[in-house]
Amino acid sequence: LNAKLIYAGFLVSLAIPFLALVSGYFAYAGRNSDAPSWLRSHYHYQFRTFFIGLLANIVAWVLTLVGVGLLLLPLIAIWVVARSVHGLIRVAQRSPIDNPDSYFV
């Protein structure tokens, strides 16, 4: 249930950005838990989604000063949705993320 809520938090964070911080915190806390290995792979994947998304957003906002960042923000949102939906499907099947260290889905 916790992993599903974190993915849902990432999806809702597109409208309410504060939820990304909360979801990122719970993903970080879950990485070191005594959960089964398939679930720990989700927490690792979620934490990377949060951290890479945060860095990408910072870069995009800085690049808005030259006009390029506004083009990147929708791409970052699509990336977050794709990773979250992929994760939700895998959690529902109780299967691990194949490569939690990847930058893409």
Side-chain angles (χ1 to χ4, degrees):
L1 178 63
N2 191 27
K4 289 180 183 178
L5 289 175
I6 293 170
Y7 285 124
F10 286 147
L11 292 171
V12 175
S13 74
L14 298 172
I16 305 170
F18 172 73
L19 286 178
L21 295 173
V22 174
S23 298
Y25 170 76
F26 283 112
Y28 178 76
R31 281 178 19 162
N32 300 322
S33 69
D34 59 347
S37 63
W38 70 269
L39 191 53
R40 279 197 313 269
S41 75
H42 283 277
Y43 292 136
H44 183 71
Y45 183 74
Q46 290 167 336
F47 182 71
R48 284 184 54 85
T49 300
F50 166 74
F51 194 70
I52 294 168
L54 177 66
L55 291 176
N57 271 293
I58 291 170
V59 168
W61 282 107
V62 169
L63 289 176
T64 58
L65 300 174
V66 293
V68 179
L70 293 177
L71 299 172
L72 294 176
L73 292 172
L75 295 175
I76 296 167
I78 291 168
W79 179 79
V80 168
V81 169
R83 283 180 67 97
S84 297
V85 169
H86 175 72
L88 280 169
I89 291 169
R90 300 294 288 203
V91 165
Q93 298 170 345
R94 292 184 166 271
S95 43
I97 297 294
D98 294 329
N99 184 8
D101 288 324
S102 74
Y103 290 98
F104 301 105
V105 178

